[in-house]
Amino acid sequence: MLAFSIILAGCAKDNNTGTNGGAAANTPSTGNAEAPTAENPVTIRVFANEDTVNNQKLETNAFTKLVEKQQNIKFEWTTVPSDGAPEKRQISLASGDYPDLYLLVAYVDHFSQNDLLRYGQQGVILPLNDLIDQYAPNLKKTLDENPDYMAMNTAPDGKIYGINGLSACYHCSFPNKMWVNSSWMKKLGIETPKTPEDFKKMLEAFKNDDPNGNGKKDEVPLSGSTETFGVHVIPYLMNAFIYDDDRTYLMMKDGKVDLAANKPEWKEGLAYIKSLYDEGLIDPGAFTQNADAFKKIGENADGQILGAGAGMHPAIFLDIADGNRNSKDYDSIPPLTGPNGINYATIQYTGNQGASFVLTNKASEEAQIAAIKMLDSIYTFDGQIQANAGIEGIDWRKPQDG
């Protein structure tokens, strides 16, 4: 599982004519760059997401130091916390003072395919094809052997402007789940909803029948947030009417790409969702708040108030540590079956359609080569062990007899 962007930036256990005189000086040559020495490592300026909540320090963590030593690199970090990370990346680009390398956590922030094509054609982002061919045999082998992964990383013009993570994450593959307070359902005698109308009746009971037993109408029937990890409330509901991929609103029909959002079924789905909203069954904050605010509802200090939550997994809006008072009460429910017998679930391929490793035209030839070699080293068995499991002898050891 080649989740390099998460590993380094998140976990811590062709012819371009852009700014700075275009990319002629930034395109890899056939190896004329001066070889770095131990006394003179290659400096790479990096913009990265840092987990400040858990006091991560990318500059000093063990894997960073290992990569620097192995690859003879010196990273100069510009780090931003997860909150507001996409906006901070855009500001760095707009300022003109952007780094050599963006190394992002894909589920926090990443360059979209449109971003890559736009900045690539402007010359701000460098194509990686030649670098991969010359300096990244492991990455090249991975791309060649995984056609879907190659397709996700290749722009319409045939260039690779960035690399995304390749991760076999089963629960990520179906992100738009619905988690329902099953203890409330049991208390109110509600069976698992099978249709949109069943779901609406459940939410009405959550709102009106005081399932938390405090004598107040303080329950939040349904909530979510605005990030990209399955927390939007609309897709789960819309998928009972027509397929909603939660990204492009495209679908396949009779072997051709079609738009879902201009169909009568989409309008029907919106009407249903609006009826929930108009009756106060959907938290208005679901369309504006971040996951931290969502979690404050799920972990309300004065008592349980959340009836249902959208999310890839419940830890987004609950504390799931052993002994937590709320996490045992929430279970996922199957997709709803709509009036036309439709009951889709959104599928997401094992990797973001975008990039979390992106080189810019600020990078010198030496920095480009060093960065792609660094990335290539993670596309190996040893690189994965070091990146995912930590330091040998401290975090893991090789198996012993018996």
Side-chain angles (χ1 to χ4, degrees):
M1 276 83 69
L2 307 171
F4 62 85
S5 62
I6 297 174
I7 293 158
L8 186 54
C11 287
K13 296 224 328 180
D14 50 29
N15 294 322
N16 295 313
T17 54
T19 58
N20 296 330
N26 295 308
T27 303
S29 68
T30 55
N32 294 324
E34 182 180 346
T37 64
E39 296 77 24
N40 184 33
V42 176
T43 298
I44 304 177
R45 297 185 307 130
V46 188
F47 181 103
N49 309 135
E50 190 168 67
D51 184 3
T52 55
V53 173
N54 292 303
N55 298 313
Q56 182 190 42
K57 299 294 182 185
L58 286 175
E59 184 175 2
T60 57
N61 80 52
F63 186 62
T64 296
K65 293 302 181 184
L66 180 65
V67 168
E68 286 184 323
K69 181 179 180 181
Q70 289 179 340
Q71 302 297 321
N72 201 22
I73 289 171
K74 174 61 180 174
F75 293 116
E76 291 185 358
W77 297 97
T78 296
T79 59
V80 297
S82 297
D83 191 22
E87 293 79 10
K88 293 179 176 69
R89 170 175 58 85
Q90 294 289 356
I91 290 170
S92 76
L93 283 163
S95 72
D97 186 23
Y98 46 83
D100 305 326
L101 172 65
Y102 285 93
L103 193 60
L104 308 175
V105 182
Y107 61 82
V108 173
D109 179 31
H110 63 275
F111 285 82
S112 70
Q113 291 173 314
N114 288 336
D115 287 338
L116 295 171
L117 194 58
R118 180 172 73 253
Y119 290 118
Q121 291 176 343
Q122 291 174 1
V124 173
I125 290 176
L126 300 180
L128 304 177
N129 304 60
D130 291 344
L131 284 166
I132 293 170
D133 287 344
Q134 294 181 49
Y135 302 108
N138 300 299
L139 173 54
K140 180 175 173 57
K141 183 173 185 287
T142 302
L143 289 165
D144 290 343
E145 293 181 353
N146 294 272
D148 284 350
Y149 189 50
M150 174 70 88
M152 280 192 285
N153 285 288
T154 305
D157 62 5
K159 296 176 183 176
I160 298 174
Y161 291 110
I163 297 292
N164 62 22
L166 175 61
S167 176
C169 172
Y170 183 77
H171 79 273
C172 307
S173 302
F174 300 93
N176 296 97
K177 303 179 187 72
M178 184 61 63
W179 302 87
V180 174
N181 192 321
S182 50
S183 66
W184 286 7
M185 292 173 65
K186 183 177 180 180
K187 180 178 181 180
L188 299 175
I190 300 171
E191 294 185 357
T192 300
K194 294 181 172 60
T195 68
E197 284 308 309
D198 291 344
F199 191 78
K200 184 175 184 177
K201 289 176 182 177
M202 180 190 70
L203 296 183
E204 289 172 340
F206 287 169
K207 178 184 177 184
N208 299 317
D209 296 350
D210 193 27
N212 66 12
N214 66 359
K216 303 176 184 177
K217 279 196 172 184
D218 57 352
E219 289 84 358
V220 178
L222 170 61
S223 193
S225 59
T226 59
E227 294 86 357
T228 59
F229 31 83
V231 287
H232 301 161
V233 297
I234 288 178
Y236 175 82
L237 303 172
M238 184 63 75
N239 272 319
F241 297 87
I242 192 171
Y243 183 65
D244 179 1
D245 74 341
D246 197 26
R247 291 182 301 276
T248 67
Y249 311 108
L250 300 174
M251 60 181 185
M252 292 294 289
K253 185 177 181 180
D254 300 327
K256 296 181 179 180
V257 177
D258 200 1
L259 179 67
N262 65 355
K263 300 294 183 291
E265 295 87 350
W266 188 275
K267 185 176 181 179
E268 187 178 7
L270 284 180
Y272 166 73
I273 295 165
K274 184 177 185 297
S275 76
L276 302 182
Y277 187 85
D278 289 347
E279 294 183 27
L281 304 178
I282 301 178
D283 173 21
F287 303 100
T288 58
Q289 68 194 4
N290 62 20
D292 291 337
F294 185 18
K295 194 164 189 174
K296 288 179 180 178
I297 298 173
E299 288 293 331
N300 181 58
D302 297 327
Q304 206 171 60
I305 62 171
L306 181 64
M312 184 182 292
H313 52 77
I316 294 166
F317 58 90
L318 295 171
D319 177 3
I320 63 169
D322 289 344
N324 176 260
R325 60 194 174 99
N326 292 327
S327 61
K328 68 181 185 302
D329 292 335
Y330 291 84
D331 293 295
S332 60
I333 59 174
L336 303 173
T337 300
N340 298 313
I342 297 301
N343 56 356
Y344 291 119
T346 297
I347 186 171
Q348 180 171 296
Y349 287 104
T350 53
N352 285 70
Q353 285 76 34
S356 44
F357 176 99
V358 172
L359 278 168
T360 77
N361 60 1
K362 299 285 188 178
S364 67
E365 183 179 340
E366 293 83 356
Q368 292 174 46
I369 295 170
I372 205 71
K373 285 184 174 180
M374 178 272 292
L375 178 61
D376 188 64
S377 72
I378 301 176
Y379 283 72
T380 64
F381 181 80
D382 287 343
Q384 285 296 293
I385 292 292
Q386 292 163 345
N388 279 309
I391 304 302
E392 184 176 8
I394 298 175
D395 302 302
W396 64 276
R397 62 169 172 77
K398 293 172 180 165
Q400 301 169 354
D401 289 344

Short mmCIF file of all heavy atoms in Angstrom, two decimals, residues 43-68:
data_model
loop_
_atom_site.label_atom_id
_atom_site.label_comp_id
_atom_site.label_asym_id
_atom_site.label_seq_id
_atom_site.Cartn_x
_atom_site.Cartn_y
_atom_site.Cartn_z
N THR A 43 18.91 20.69 -1.05
CA THR A 43 17.84 21.33 -0.28
C THR A 43 16.55 21.32 -1.09
O THR A 43 16.53 21.67 -2.26
CB THR A 43 18.21 22.78 0.07
OG1 THR A 43 19.38 22.78 0.90
CG2 THR A 43 17.07 23.48 0.79
N ILE A 44 15.47 20.86 -0.45
CA ILE A 44 14.15 20.86 -1.07
C ILE A 44 13.19 21.62 -0.16
O ILE A 44 13.01 21.26 1.01
CB ILE A 44 13.61 19.43 -1.29
CG1 ILE A 44 14.60 18.61 -2.12
CG2 ILE A 44 12.25 19.46 -1.96
CD1 ILE A 44 14.17 17.17 -2.32
N ARG A 45 12.62 22.68 -0.67
CA ARG A 45 11.62 23.44 0.09
C ARG A 45 10.26 22.77 -0.09
O ARG A 45 9.79 22.59 -1.21
CB ARG A 45 11.57 24.90 -0.36
CG ARG A 45 12.89 25.65 -0.13
CD ARG A 45 12.76 27.12 -0.48
NE ARG A 45 12.24 27.31 -1.83
CZ ARG A 45 11.22 28.10 -2.14
NH1 ARG A 45 10.60 28.80 -1.22
NH2 ARG A 45 10.82 28.22 -3.41
N VAL A 46 9.64 22.39 1.03
CA VAL A 46 8.42 21.58 1.00
C VAL A 46 7.28 22.30 1.73
O VAL A 46 7.46 22.83 2.82
CB VAL A 46 8.65 20.22 1.67
CG1 VAL A 46 7.44 19.31 1.47
CG2 VAL A 46 9.90 19.55 1.14
N PHE A 47 6.11 22.27 1.11
CA PHE A 47 4.86 22.71 1.75
C PHE A 47 4.10 21.45 2.11
O PHE A 47 3.84 20.59 1.25
CB PHE A 47 4.06 23.56 0.78
CG PHE A 47 2.75 24.10 1.33
CD1 PHE A 47 2.65 25.42 1.74
CD2 PHE A 47 1.62 23.29 1.41
CE1 PHE A 47 1.45 25.92 2.22
CE2 PHE A 47 0.42 23.78 1.90
CZ PHE A 47 0.33 25.10 2.31
N ALA A 48 3.74 21.29 3.39
CA ALA A 48 3.13 20.02 3.83
C ALA A 48 2.07 20.27 4.89
O ALA A 48 2.06 21.30 5.58
CB ALA A 48 4.21 19.10 4.38
N ASN A 49 1.17 19.30 5.02
CA ASN A 49 0.18 19.30 6.09
C ASN A 49 0.80 18.62 7.31
O ASN A 49 1.40 17.56 7.20
CB ASN A 49 -1.08 18.53 5.68
CG ASN A 49 -1.65 18.97 4.35
OD1 ASN A 49 -2.02 18.14 3.53
ND2 ASN A 49 -1.73 20.27 4.13
N GLU A 50 0.61 19.24 8.47
CA GLU A 50 1.19 18.72 9.71
C GLU A 50 0.08 18.50 10.74
O GLU A 50 -0.79 19.35 10.90
CB GLU A 50 2.23 19.70 10.24
CG GLU A 50 3.07 19.16 11.38
CD GLU A 50 4.27 20.08 11.66
OE1 GLU A 50 4.04 21.23 12.11
OE2 GLU A 50 5.41 19.66 11.42
N ASP A 51 0.14 17.38 11.41
CA ASP A 51 -0.89 17.04 12.40
C ASP A 51 -0.59 17.75 13.72
O ASP A 51 -0.02 17.17 14.65
CB ASP A 51 -0.93 15.52 12.58
CG ASP A 51 -2.03 15.07 13.52
OD1 ASP A 51 -2.81 15.93 13.99
OD2 ASP A 51 -2.12 13.87 13.81
N THR A 52 -1.01 19.00 13.82
CA THR A 52 -0.73 19.79 15.02
C THR A 52 -1.52 19.30 16.22
O THR A 52 -1.10 19.48 17.36
CB THR A 52 -1.02 21.27 14.77
OG1 THR A 52 -2.38 21.40 14.31
CG2 THR A 52 -0.10 21.83 13.70
N VAL A 53 -2.68 18.69 15.98
CA VAL A 53 -3.50 18.20 17.09
C VAL A 53 -2.73 17.18 17.92
O VAL A 53 -2.80 17.14 19.14
CB VAL A 53 -4.82 17.59 16.57
CG1 VAL A 53 -5.59 16.93 17.70
CG2 VAL A 53 -5.67 18.67 15.90
N ASN A 54 -1.95 16.34 17.23
CA ASN A 54 -1.16 15.31 17.91
C ASN A 54 0.31 15.69 18.03
O ASN A 54 1.18 14.83 18.19
CB ASN A 54 -1.30 13.97 17.17
CG ASN A 54 -2.70 13.41 17.29
OD1 ASN A 54 -3.20 13.20 18.38
ND2 ASN A 54 -3.36 13.18 16.16
N ASN A 55 0.57 17.00 17.94
CA ASN A 55 1.92 17.55 18.17
C ASN A 55 2.97 16.96 17.24
O ASN A 55 4.12 16.74 17.63
CB ASN A 55 2.35 17.34 19.63
CG ASN A 55 1.43 18.05 20.60
OD1 ASN A 55 1.11 19.22 20.40
ND2 ASN A 55 1.00 17.35 21.64
N GLN A 56 2.58 16.69 16.00
CA GLN A 56 3.54 16.18 15.03
C GLN A 56 4.55 17.26 14.65
O GLN A 56 4.19 18.44 14.52
CB GLN A 56 2.80 15.72 13.77
CG GLN A 56 3.72 15.14 12.71
CD GLN A 56 2.99 14.91 11.41
OE1 GLN A 56 2.21 15.75 10.99
NE2 GLN A 56 3.23 13.79 10.77
N LYS A 57 5.79 16.87 14.49
CA LYS A 57 6.84 17.77 14.02
C LYS A 57 7.54 17.11 12.84
O LYS A 57 8.40 16.25 13.00
CB LYS A 57 7.85 18.06 15.14
CG LYS A 57 7.26 18.74 16.36
CD LYS A 57 6.78 20.15 16.06
CE LYS A 57 6.23 20.83 17.30
NZ LYS A 57 5.64 22.16 17.00
N LEU A 58 7.15 17.51 11.64
CA LEU A 58 7.73 16.88 10.46
C LEU A 58 9.23 17.10 10.37
O LEU A 58 9.97 16.25 9.88
CB LEU A 58 7.06 17.43 9.20
CG LEU A 58 5.63 16.94 8.93
CD1 LEU A 58 5.04 17.65 7.73
CD2 LEU A 58 5.61 15.44 8.71
N GLU A 59 9.70 18.23 10.85
CA GLU A 59 11.13 18.55 10.74
C GLU A 59 11.99 17.57 11.52
O GLU A 59 13.11 17.27 11.13
CB GLU A 59 11.38 19.97 11.23
CG GLU A 59 12.83 20.42 11.05
CD GLU A 59 13.03 21.88 11.43
OE1 GLU A 59 12.06 22.52 11.86
OE2 GLU A 59 14.18 22.37 11.29
N THR A 60 11.45 17.03 12.61
CA THR A 60 12.28 16.22 13.50
C THR A 60 11.84 14.77 13.61
O THR A 60 12.52 13.99 14.27
CB THR A 60 12.28 16.82 14.91
OG1 THR A 60 10.92 16.92 15.39
CG2 THR A 60 12.90 18.21 14.90
N ASN A 61 10.75 14.37 12.98
CA ASN A 61 10.31 12.98 13.19
C ASN A 61 11.29 12.00 12.54
O ASN A 61 12.05 12.32 11.64
CB ASN A 61 8.85 12.77 12.77
CG ASN A 61 8.65 12.59 11.28
OD1 ASN A 61 9.29 11.76 10.63
ND2 ASN A 61 7.74 13.36 10.70
N ALA A 62 11.22 10.77 13.03
CA ALA A 62 12.25 9.78 12.70
C ALA A 62 12.28 9.45 11.21
O ALA A 62 13.36 9.25 10.63
CB ALA A 62 12.03 8.52 13.53
N PHE A 63 11.10 9.36 10.59
CA PHE A 63 11.08 8.98 9.17
C PHE A 63 11.67 10.09 8.31
O PHE A 63 12.38 9.83 7.35
CB PHE A 63 9.67 8.64 8.72
CG PHE A 63 9.61 8.11 7.31
CD1 PHE A 63 10.27 6.95 6.97
CD2 PHE A 63 8.92 8.79 6.33
CE1 PHE A 63 10.24 6.45 5.67
CE2 PHE A 63 8.87 8.31 5.02
CZ PHE A 63 9.53 7.14 4.70
N THR A 64 11.39 11.35 8.66
CA THR A 64 12.00 12.46 7.94
C THR A 64 13.52 12.36 8.01
O THR A 64 14.22 12.50 6.99
CB THR A 64 11.55 13.80 8.54
OG1 THR A 64 10.15 13.95 8.37
CG2 THR A 64 12.26 14.97 7.86
N LYS A 65 14.04 12.14 9.21
CA LYS A 65 15.49 12.06 9.37
C LYS A 65 16.09 10.88 8.60
O LYS A 65 17.17 10.98 8.03
CB LYS A 65 15.84 11.96 10.87
CG LYS A 65 15.51 13.22 11.65
CD LYS A 65 16.24 14.43 11.08
CE LYS A 65 15.95 15.70 11.83
NZ LYS A 65 16.59 16.89 11.19
N LEU A 66 15.36 9.76 8.59
CA LEU A 66 15.83 8.60 7.84
C LEU A 66 15.89 8.89 6.35
O LEU A 66 16.88 8.56 5.68
CB LEU A 66 14.89 7.42 8.12
CG LEU A 66 15.23 6.09 7.42
CD1 LEU A 66 16.55 5.55 7.92
CD2 LEU A 66 14.10 5.08 7.63
N VAL A 67 14.84 9.52 5.81
CA VAL A 67 14.81 9.85 4.39
C VAL A 67 15.91 10.84 4.05
O VAL A 67 16.60 10.71 3.02
CB VAL A 67 13.42 10.41 4.00
CG1 VAL A 67 13.46 11.03 2.61
CG2 VAL A 67 12.37 9.32 4.06
N GLU A 68 16.10 11.84 4.88
CA GLU A 68 17.15 12.82 4.63
C GLU A 68 18.52 12.15 4.57
O GLU A 68 19.34 12.47 3.70
CB GLU A 68 17.13 13.89 5.72
CG GLU A 68 15.98 14.87 5.61
CD GLU A 68 16.03 15.97 6.64
OE1 GLU A 68 16.45 15.69 7.79
OE2 GLU A 68 15.67 17.11 6.32
#
